Amino acid sequence: MDAQQAADLLDPEAIARADALGLHARYVVEGYMAGEHKSPYRGFAIEFAQHREYSPGDDVRHIDWKVNARTDRLFNKQYEQETNYVANILLDGSESMTYGSGRHTKLQYGKMIAAVLSYLILHQRDAVALGIFDEGMRDYAPRSNSRATLHTLMGRLAAFEGEQATDIARNLHDMALQTPRKGIFILISDFFDEEEAVMDGIQHLRFGGHEVIVFHTLDPFEMEFPFNGLVEFEGLEKIPKILTRPAEIRRTYQREIESFQRRIREGCEKNRVHYVRVDTSKPLARVLSDYLSFRLRTAKGKQH
């Protein structure tokens, strides 16, 4: 981080934005925990450790029924937290992400997703790295498992503004080459880019043994196209302005955007990548719930 970036993050307004982002992340996480009446961390990075004979009062959910069938005795599974879990969060900070029809732009919502996940991971004592990219990697915080880095991450997220076109594939290939250690890559983007090239980048990460999770972040107006009358649409990322009557093309547009989402989802599923579609008008806690329930299912799958 150069002197100018450091100065930007020390600006009082930037500090206030970072504090607000951090507090929001904490509010979402703690609110989710309170609603579930249990720690969401159970599904994050847990590995089976050993069996212990069942004692009255133990949680019956942890009984290993396969062992019971073989031995006719009750044993509980015991788990331990992994200590080498590394999450690489990549946020698309391109100009198309600055669109928003409601309270949040896609970029702002993506920042909140990144903030919440960073908060969770660091408070679980695992490591997180954060990259914000457009055509290239514009800001990158190397992996750290120190909670003291949380405010720095919030500051970097809050200070970033999207202005450039994107090249998702280039950034994914670069990260695949630069990250030999297996981990998890969390990609937050609207995926308005060359789809085939993006999937090649995802395949590169998967080939390296990384788990990849995609948060496909879209604004509801992009999905519904509810505009009426004669509308001039201002292009982003070097796309020219377009003057049209939305009512005349709405059905065709909706079919195309649905097809686009389906292609991204199917491409992810083909590469065994978990796909989460994010509607920026929906509560962030719902997105968090989908992600954590996936991590819990993944952990259970590894235990059997």
PDB file of all heavy atoms in Angstrom, residues 92-112:
ATOM      1  N   ASP A  92     -15.180  -7.945  -7.479  1.00  0.00           N
ATOM      2  CA  ASP A  92     -15.184  -7.219  -8.752  1.00  0.00           C
ATOM      3  C   ASP A  92     -15.509  -5.752  -8.469  1.00  0.00           C
ATOM      4  O   ASP A  92     -16.610  -5.422  -8.021  1.00  0.00           O
ATOM      5  CB  ASP A  92     -16.244  -7.843  -9.668  1.00  0.00           C
ATOM      6  CG  ASP A  92     -16.275  -7.227 -11.059  1.00  0.00           C
ATOM      7  OD1 ASP A  92     -15.670  -6.153 -11.260  1.00  0.00           O
ATOM      8  OD2 ASP A  92     -16.928  -7.815 -11.943  1.00  0.00           O
ATOM      9  N   GLY A  93     -14.541  -4.888  -8.719  1.00  0.00           N
ATOM     10  CA  GLY A  93     -14.732  -3.462  -8.471  1.00  0.00           C
ATOM     11  C   GLY A  93     -14.846  -2.659  -9.751  1.00  0.00           C
ATOM     12  O   GLY A  93     -14.530  -1.473  -9.773  1.00  0.00           O
ATOM     13  N   SER A  94     -15.323  -3.289 -10.822  1.00  0.00           N
ATOM     14  CA  SER A  94     -15.424  -2.610 -12.114  1.00  0.00           C
ATOM     15  C   SER A  94     -16.616  -1.660 -12.153  1.00  0.00           C
ATOM     16  O   SER A  94     -17.479  -1.667 -11.277  1.00  0.00           O
ATOM     17  CB  SER A  94     -15.533  -3.640 -13.241  1.00  0.00           C
ATOM     18  OG  SER A  94     -16.694  -4.432 -13.073  1.00  0.00           O
ATOM     19  N   GLU A  95     -16.664  -0.854 -13.217  1.00  0.00           N
ATOM     20  CA  GLU A  95     -17.685   0.199 -13.306  1.00  0.00           C
ATOM     21  C   GLU A  95     -19.102  -0.367 -13.349  1.00  0.00           C
ATOM     22  O   GLU A  95     -20.037   0.232 -12.806  1.00  0.00           O
ATOM     23  CB  GLU A  95     -17.431   1.065 -14.538  1.00  0.00           C
ATOM     24  CG  GLU A  95     -18.301   2.307 -14.573  1.00  0.00           C
ATOM     25  CD  GLU A  95     -18.034   3.179 -15.788  1.00  0.00           C
ATOM     26  OE1 GLU A  95     -17.502   2.664 -16.803  1.00  0.00           O
ATOM     27  OE2 GLU A  95     -18.363   4.380 -15.729  1.00  0.00           O
ATOM     28  N   SER A  96     -19.309  -1.535 -13.980  1.00  0.00           N
ATOM     29  CA  SER A  96     -20.658  -2.090 -14.055  1.00  0.00           C
ATOM     30  C   SER A  96     -21.208  -2.426 -12.678  1.00  0.00           C
ATOM     31  O   SER A  96     -22.425  -2.462 -12.471  1.00  0.00           O
ATOM     32  CB  SER A  96     -20.681  -3.335 -14.942  1.00  0.00           C
ATOM     33  OG  SER A  96     -20.010  -4.421 -14.326  1.00  0.00           O
ATOM     34  N   MET A  97     -20.312  -2.655 -11.719  1.00  0.00           N
ATOM     35  CA  MET A  97     -20.741  -2.967 -10.358  1.00  0.00           C
ATOM     36  C   MET A  97     -21.261  -1.737  -9.619  1.00  0.00           C
ATOM     37  O   MET A  97     -21.821  -1.859  -8.534  1.00  0.00           O
ATOM     38  CB  MET A  97     -19.587  -3.597  -9.582  1.00  0.00           C
ATOM     39  CG  MET A  97     -19.213  -5.000 -10.031  1.00  0.00           C
ATOM     40  SD  MET A  97     -20.402  -6.261  -9.505  1.00  0.00           S
ATOM     41  CE  MET A  97     -20.020  -6.390  -7.745  1.00  0.00           C
ATOM     42  N   THR A  98     -21.068  -0.556 -10.180  1.00  0.00           N
ATOM     43  CA  THR A  98     -21.530   0.670  -9.515  1.00  0.00           C
ATOM     44  C   THR A  98     -23.008   0.942  -9.756  1.00  0.00           C
ATOM     45  O   THR A  98     -23.560   1.910  -9.232  1.00  0.00           O
ATOM     46  CB  THR A  98     -20.713   1.888  -9.974  1.00  0.00           C
ATOM     47  OG1 THR A  98     -20.919   2.110 -11.377  1.00  0.00           O
ATOM     48  CG2 THR A  98     -19.229   1.694  -9.718  1.00  0.00           C
ATOM     49  N   TYR A  99     -23.677   0.102 -10.540  1.00  0.00           N
ATOM     50  CA  TYR A  99     -25.097   0.312 -10.797  1.00  0.00           C
ATOM     51  C   TYR A  99     -25.934  -0.112  -9.597  1.00  0.00           C
ATOM     52  O   TYR A  99     -25.652  -1.123  -8.945  1.00  0.00           O
ATOM     53  CB  TYR A  99     -25.562  -0.484 -12.027  1.00  0.00           C
ATOM     54  CG  TYR A  99     -27.049  -0.364 -12.266  1.00  0.00           C
ATOM     55  CD1 TYR A  99     -27.590   0.812 -12.782  1.00  0.00           C
ATOM     56  CD2 TYR A  99     -27.922  -1.392 -11.908  1.00  0.00           C
ATOM     57  CE1 TYR A  99     -28.956   0.947 -12.966  1.00  0.00           C
ATOM     58  CE2 TYR A  99     -29.284  -1.273 -12.090  1.00  0.00           C
ATOM     59  CZ  TYR A  99     -29.800  -0.093 -12.612  1.00  0.00           C
ATOM     60  OH  TYR A  99     -31.156   0.041 -12.780  1.00  0.00           O
ATOM     61  N   GLY A 100     -26.969   0.668  -9.337  1.00  0.00           N
ATOM     62  CA  GLY A 100     -27.891   0.321  -8.269  1.00  0.00           C
ATOM     63  C   GLY A 100     -29.210   1.044  -8.433  1.00  0.00           C
ATOM     64  O   GLY A 100     -29.232   2.254  -8.691  1.00  0.00           O
ATOM     65  N   SER A 101     -30.314   0.326  -8.315  1.00  0.00           N
ATOM     66  CA  SER A 101     -31.639   0.933  -8.442  1.00  0.00           C
ATOM     67  C   SER A 101     -32.254   1.235  -7.082  1.00  0.00           C
ATOM     68  O   SER A 101     -33.248   1.952  -6.989  1.00  0.00           O
ATOM     69  CB  SER A 101     -32.569  -0.010  -9.208  1.00  0.00           C
ATOM     70  OG  SER A 101     -32.756  -1.221  -8.482  1.00  0.00           O
ATOM     71  N   GLY A 102     -31.674   0.687  -6.036  1.00  0.00           N
ATOM     72  CA  GLY A 102     -32.256   0.836  -4.700  1.00  0.00           C
ATOM     73  C   GLY A 102     -31.275   1.411  -3.706  1.00  0.00           C
ATOM     74  O   GLY A 102     -30.488   2.301  -4.026  1.00  0.00           O
ATOM     75  N   ARG A 103     -31.281   0.840  -2.532  1.00  0.00           N
ATOM     76  CA  ARG A 103     -30.470   1.368  -1.430  1.00  0.00           C
ATOM     77  C   ARG A 103     -28.976   1.167  -1.676  1.00  0.00           C
ATOM     78  O   ARG A 103     -28.162   2.008  -1.313  1.00  0.00           O
ATOM     79  CB  ARG A 103     -30.884   0.677  -0.134  1.00  0.00           C
ATOM     80  CG  ARG A 103     -30.141   1.169   1.093  1.00  0.00           C
ATOM     81  CD  ARG A 103     -30.638   0.450   2.328  1.00  0.00           C
ATOM     82  NE  ARG A 103     -29.913   0.875   3.529  1.00  0.00           N
ATOM     83  CZ  ARG A 103     -30.073   0.338   4.727  1.00  0.00           C
ATOM     84  NH1 ARG A 103     -30.958  -0.656   4.873  1.00  0.00           N
ATOM     85  NH2 ARG A 103     -29.382   0.766   5.761  1.00  0.00           N
ATOM     86  N   HIS A 104     -28.619   0.034  -2.293  1.00  0.00           N
ATOM     87  CA  HIS A 104     -27.210  -0.282  -2.482  1.00  0.00           C
ATOM     88  C   HIS A 104     -26.890  -0.538  -3.947  1.00  0.00           C
ATOM     89  O   HIS A 104     -27.690  -1.152  -4.660  1.00  0.00           O
ATOM     90  CB  HIS A 104     -26.834  -1.543  -1.688  1.00  0.00           C
ATOM     91  CG  HIS A 104     -27.090  -1.452  -0.220  1.00  0.00           C
ATOM     92  ND1 HIS A 104     -26.422  -0.568   0.596  1.00  0.00           N
ATOM     93  CD2 HIS A 104     -27.950  -2.144   0.576  1.00  0.00           C
ATOM     94  CE1 HIS A 104     -26.851  -0.718   1.838  1.00  0.00           C
ATOM     95  NE2 HIS A 104     -27.775  -1.650   1.853  1.00  0.00           N
ATOM     96  N   THR A 105     -25.725  -0.091  -4.375  1.00  0.00           N
ATOM     97  CA  THR A 105     -25.222  -0.524  -5.672  1.00  0.00           C
ATOM     98  C   THR A 105     -24.713  -1.961  -5.525  1.00  0.00           C
ATOM     99  O   THR A 105     -24.540  -2.461  -4.408  1.00  0.00           O
ATOM    100  CB  THR A 105     -24.063   0.364  -6.159  1.00  0.00           C
ATOM    101  OG1 THR A 105     -22.937   0.187  -5.286  1.00  0.00           O
ATOM    102  CG2 THR A 105     -24.469   1.835  -6.177  1.00  0.00           C
ATOM    103  N   LYS A 106     -24.450  -2.593  -6.658  1.00  0.00           N
ATOM    104  CA  LYS A 106     -23.891  -3.950  -6.601  1.00  0.00           C
ATOM    105  C   LYS A 106     -22.537  -3.928  -5.903  1.00  0.00           C
ATOM    106  O   LYS A 106     -22.206  -4.854  -5.152  1.00  0.00           O
ATOM    107  CB  LYS A 106     -23.753  -4.513  -8.015  1.00  0.00           C
ATOM    108  CG  LYS A 106     -25.067  -4.826  -8.697  1.00  0.00           C
ATOM    109  CD  LYS A 106     -24.857  -5.404 -10.082  1.00  0.00           C
ATOM    110  CE  LYS A 106     -24.376  -4.349 -11.060  1.00  0.00           C
ATOM    111  NZ  LYS A 106     -24.234  -4.889 -12.439  1.00  0.00           N
ATOM    112  N   LEU A 107     -21.761  -2.874  -6.139  1.00  0.00           N
ATOM    113  CA  LEU A 107     -20.441  -2.789  -5.511  1.00  0.00           C
ATOM    114  C   LEU A 107     -20.563  -2.631  -4.002  1.00  0.00           C
ATOM    115  O   LEU A 107     -19.841  -3.283  -3.236  1.00  0.00           O
ATOM    116  CB  LEU A 107     -19.642  -1.623  -6.099  1.00  0.00           C
ATOM    117  CG  LEU A 107     -18.223  -1.433  -5.555  1.00  0.00           C
ATOM    118  CD1 LEU A 107     -17.395  -2.698  -5.723  1.00  0.00           C
ATOM    119  CD2 LEU A 107     -17.542  -0.246  -6.248  1.00  0.00           C
ATOM    120  N   GLN A 108     -21.488  -1.787  -3.556  1.00  0.00           N
ATOM    121  CA  GLN A 108     -21.685  -1.614  -2.119  1.00  0.00           C
ATOM    122  C   GLN A 108     -22.144  -2.916  -1.474  1.00  0.00           C
ATOM    123  O   GLN A 108     -21.679  -3.294  -0.391  1.00  0.00           O
ATOM    124  CB  GLN A 108     -22.719  -0.506  -1.869  1.00  0.00           C
ATOM    125  CG  GLN A 108     -22.205   0.890  -2.190  1.00  0.00           C
ATOM    126  CD  GLN A 108     -23.325   1.922  -2.207  1.00  0.00           C
ATOM    127  OE1 GLN A 108     -24.496   1.601  -2.399  1.00  0.00           O
ATOM    128  NE2 GLN A 108     -22.955   3.190  -2.033  1.00  0.00           N
ATOM    129  N   TYR A 109     -23.042  -3.613  -2.139  1.00  0.00           N
ATOM    130  CA  TYR A 109     -23.528  -4.879  -1.599  1.00  0.00           C
ATOM    131  C   TYR A 109     -22.406  -5.913  -1.580  1.00  0.00           C
ATOM    132  O   TYR A 109     -22.246  -6.672  -0.620  1.00  0.00           O
ATOM    133  CB  TYR A 109     -24.707  -5.377  -2.437  1.00  0.00           C
ATOM    134  CG  TYR A 109     -25.615  -6.336  -1.711  1.00  0.00           C
ATOM    135  CD1 TYR A 109     -26.783  -5.886  -1.100  1.00  0.00           C
ATOM    136  CD2 TYR A 109     -25.325  -7.692  -1.645  1.00  0.00           C
ATOM    137  CE1 TYR A 109     -27.637  -6.764  -0.434  1.00  0.00           C
ATOM    138  CE2 TYR A 109     -26.157  -8.577  -0.979  1.00  0.00           C
ATOM    139  CZ  TYR A 109     -27.315  -8.109  -0.378  1.00  0.00           C
ATOM    140  OH  TYR A 109     -28.141  -8.978   0.281  1.00  0.00           O
ATOM    141  N   GLY A 110     -21.602  -5.917  -2.645  1.00  0.00           N
ATOM    142  CA  GLY A 110     -20.460  -6.819  -2.693  1.00  0.00           C
ATOM    143  C   GLY A 110     -19.462  -6.524  -1.589  1.00  0.00           C
ATOM    144  O   GLY A 110     -18.878  -7.444  -0.995  1.00  0.00           O
ATOM    145  N   LYS A 111     -19.259  -5.244  -1.289  1.00  0.00           N
ATOM    146  CA  LYS A 111     -18.375  -4.864  -0.184  1.00  0.00           C
ATOM    147  C   LYS A 111     -18.900  -5.419   1.135  1.00  0.00           C
ATOM    148  O   LYS A 111     -18.124  -5.885   1.986  1.00  0.00           O
ATOM    149  CB  LYS A 111     -18.264  -3.337  -0.081  1.00  0.00           C
ATOM    150  CG  LYS A 111     -17.460  -2.677  -1.191  1.00  0.00           C
ATOM    151  CD  LYS A 111     -17.460  -1.162  -0.996  1.00  0.00           C
ATOM    152  CE  LYS A 111     -16.652  -0.458  -2.062  1.00  0.00           C
ATOM    153  NZ  LYS A 111     -16.614   1.015  -1.851  1.00  0.00           N
ATOM    154  N   MET A 112     -20.213  -5.379   1.315  1.00  0.00           N
ATOM    155  CA  MET A 112     -20.794  -5.884   2.559  1.00  0.00           C
ATOM    156  C   MET A 112     -20.636  -7.396   2.668  1.00  0.00           C
ATOM    157  O   MET A 112     -20.365  -7.922   3.749  1.00  0.00           O
ATOM    158  CB  MET A 112     -22.265  -5.486   2.650  1.00  0.00           C
ATOM    159  CG  MET A 112     -22.468  -3.987   2.836  1.00  0.00           C
ATOM    160  SD  MET A 112     -24.176  -3.517   3.227  1.00  0.00           S
ATOM    161  CE  MET A 112     -25.032  -3.989   1.737  1.00  0.00           C
TER     162      MET A 112
END
